[in-house]
């Protein structure tokens, strides 16, 4: 027997193996992939005393690579969002100190410095708005990615 499973049932699994030397891209260079992934369905059909085995295989390497890239991009986006939020706070803290020192001391350029501090603060507000938008995009993509994974399994 090829597979030990109940007659009439469908067996589905992925089979991966390393690239073979003859697998080259159109340009003649290596494809860059270290594996080829197949989705294989094996169906054993019994009819009287005879047994037929149907095997359907399809190359899903690009699908798997796409999914892995998508996971890496989501992870990178999440890391960038964390850094962006932290940087906004790290910039605001020195601005607060600058504006406090200028207010407490008799500084001849007080108005100009406070004006520039306000401009920087407005830029940080715009970054915060972008942070919120990016976070919403990340949540949307993450939710879609989870749905895609549920469908694939």
């Amino acid at each position: 027997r090829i597979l030990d499973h109940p007659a009439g049932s469908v067996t589905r699994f992925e089979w991966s193996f390393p690239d073979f030397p003859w697998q080259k891209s159109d340009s003649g260079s290596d494809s860059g992939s270290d594996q080829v992934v197949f989705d294989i369905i094996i169906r054993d059909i019994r009819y009287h005393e005879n047994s037929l085995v149907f095997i359907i295989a399809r190359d899903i390497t690009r699908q798997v690579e796409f999914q892995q890239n998508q996971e890496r991009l989501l992870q990178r986006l999440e890391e960038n969002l964390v850094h962006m939020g932290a940087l906004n706070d790290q910039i605001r803290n020195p601005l607060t100190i600058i504006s406090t020192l200028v207010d407490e001391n008799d500084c001849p350029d007080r108005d100009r410095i406070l004006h520039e501090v306000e401009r920087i603060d407005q830029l940080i507000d715009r970054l915060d708005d972008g942070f919120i938008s990016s976070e919403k995009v990340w949540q949307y993509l993450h939710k879609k990615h989870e749905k895609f994974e549920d469908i694939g399994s």
Side-chain angles (χ1 to χ4, degrees):
R1 287 190 56 88
I2 293 176
L3 287 176
D4 187 23
H5 65 280
S9 68
V10 175
T11 302
R12 184 179 205 119
F13 59 93
E14 290 181 9
W15 181 33
S16 301
F17 53 90
D19 276 343
F20 288 105
W22 62 82
Q23 290 178 320
K24 303 282 183 186
S25 67
D26 293 339
S27 64
S29 63
D30 289 333
S31 63
S33 173
D34 61 348
Q35 67 179 357
V36 177
V37 183
F38 285 96
D39 181 30
I40 301 173
I41 300 172
I42 300 175
R43 181 154 184 164
D44 183 9
I45 300 175
R46 292 192 181 225
Y47 182 72
H48 296 289
E49 295 295 317
N50 298 320
S51 180
L52 296 172
V53 177
F54 289 96
I55 301 174
I56 300 171
R58 66 185 176 106
D59 182 353
I60 59 169
T61 305
R62 290 183 192 247
Q63 260 180 287
V64 170
E65 288 173 351
F66 176 79
Q67 188 173 0
Q68 290 170 344
N69 285 337
Q70 191 177 35
E71 289 169 4
R72 275 194 300 273
L73 290 172
L74 283 172
Q75 179 65 32
R76 181 63 188 251
L77 180 58
E78 183 177 11
E79 291 169 5
N80 288 348
L81 287 172
V82 169
H83 291 302
M84 191 169 147
L87 279 173
N88 288 356
D89 289 340
Q90 290 173 359
I91 294 170
R92 273 209 168 98
N93 291 340
L95 281 181
T96 303
I97 293 170
I98 291 169
S99 65
T100 302
L101 288 173
V102 168
D103 270 344
E104 290 177 353
N105 297 314
D106 189 24
C107 180
D109 294 324
R110 177 185 178 279
D111 292 337
R112 173 147 186 199
I113 293 171
L114 290 178
H115 174 73
E116 296 303 321
V117 166
E118 181 61 31
R119 281 186 54 209
I120 294 170
D121 194 50
Q122 289 171 354
L123 289 172
I124 295 170
D125 286 340
R126 287 176 49 199
L127 286 173
D128 281 339
D129 291 343
F131 171 79
I132 291 168
S133 296
S134 296
E135 189 172 33
K136 287 178 182 177
V137 168
W138 179 85
Q139 289 171 351
Y140 172 80
L141 291 174
H142 190 69
K143 189 181 293 184
K144 291 294 180 185
H145 180 72
E146 286 177 347
K147 284 182 183 179
F148 179 74
E149 281 184 332
D150 290 344
I151 291 170
S153 54

